[in-house]
Amino acid sequence: MSILPISKAPQPDEAEFNAFFPSKFSLSQFTSAKSDLEGADYPQPYTGTGRILVIGTDERYLKMENGTLFSTGNHPVETLVPMYHLHKAGFEFDIATVSGNPVKFEFWAMPTDDEAITGLHQAYLEQFQKPLKLSDVVGALGPDSDYVAVFVPGGHGPLAGLPFSDEVGAVLRWALDQDRHIISICHGPAALLACTPAVDGAAFPLPGTRSPPSPTHPTA
């Protein structure tokens, strides 16, 4: 057992120049091999045909103010714990990304000893790796679309692309116009920036709330 302090230096991501994972110290403090999943018991689950659209991030790197790249994606717990609850409550999912490329995860935060969460990830692995292209989803949306909700998971990855996407804005505006639910967590609500005049030219669609500032490409 080492008596040296755990390093607080970011760990290099050798897959990209000037890119880094969180430090060993950060991982020891802010990740866990088990999630905090509890209370996922729904004695009368939903039995209808409505589905939930999950908008994942296809962005791996987030540029920092000092020019380095943070190796990121969707946070596994902030993606899979809500999905687990929704799945146990009777809902199934379609998974999409802006480009149709695979969903990126912050796998350094995966609760590897949590069989419920890793099992759900495996169950939807094909969809995570071969998601729908969001523009194709947008093209098929209408009043009779069977999505009852849109879920935008957390993690830092959503900051890099979703706020600048016309397709994300179109899906969220559709959900609001059709009185569908929008579910999001942590950094996921950054996707609402896609519904600002600077992105899609229309007014912010949530009356009674303060319109967020127009997005600029993230550097922090």
Side-chain angles (χ1 to χ4, degrees):
M1 180 176 180
S2 175
I3 61 173
L4 298 176
I6 300 175
S7 174
K8 295 183 179 180
Q11 301 180 86
D13 175 357
E14 296 182 357
E16 181 58 73
F17 174 74
N18 209 26
F20 297 88
F21 298 111
S23 68
K24 291 183 179 180
F25 177 82
S26 293
L27 295 180
S28 73
Q29 298 297 305
F30 302 111
T31 66
S32 174
K34 295 278 286 187
S35 77
D36 57 358
L37 175 66
E38 61 179 15
D41 181 20
Y42 301 94
Q44 295 181 309
Y46 174 73
T47 58
T49 59
R51 302 173 68 80
I52 295 175
L53 176 65
V54 180
I55 301 179
T57 181
D58 51 13
E59 297 281 353
R60 170 61 69 202
Y61 297 106
L62 183 65
K63 190 174 183 179
M64 303 287 101
E65 285 186 338
N66 65 2
T68 61
L69 300 176
F70 176 32
S71 186
T72 183
N74 281 124
H75 194 287
V77 173
E78 295 170 8
T79 304
L80 296 168
V81 168
M83 286 182 66
Y84 186 87
H85 277 275
L86 293 164
H87 178 72
K88 296 295 284 186
F91 294 97
E92 297 294 336
F93 308 97
D94 286 341
I95 298 170
T97 62
V98 171
S99 66
N101 291 330
V103 175
K104 302 297 191 295
F105 278 100
E106 296 172 330
F107 266 101
W108 38 262
M110 180 67 77
T112 53
D113 292 346
D114 197 323
E115 294 183 2
I117 298 306
T118 58
L120 185 70
H121 176 255
Q122 285 295 317
Y124 280 93
L125 183 59
E126 183 172 359
Q127 284 202 52
F128 285 129
Q129 293 184 335
K130 298 179 180 179
L132 302 172
K133 188 174 183 179
L134 199 58
S135 60
D136 294 336
V137 174
V138 171
L141 290 177
D144 298 325
S145 298
D146 61 358
Y147 294 125
V148 297
V150 177
F151 173 43
V152 185
H156 294 85
L159 297 176
L162 302 190
F164 312 96
S165 166
D166 290 338
E167 292 80 13
V168 171
V171 170
L172 297 177
R173 289 187 184 277
W174 168 85
L176 292 166
D177 290 344
Q178 300 300 322
D179 198 26
R180 312 299 168 92
H181 296 283
I182 296 174
I183 308 164
S184 196
I185 186 172
C186 200
H187 291 79
L192 291 170
L193 289 167
C195 297
T196 52
V199 178
D200 65 6
F204 188 62
L206 297 174
T209 63
R210 187 177 69 177
S211 175
S214 298
T216 57
H217 247 292
T219 57

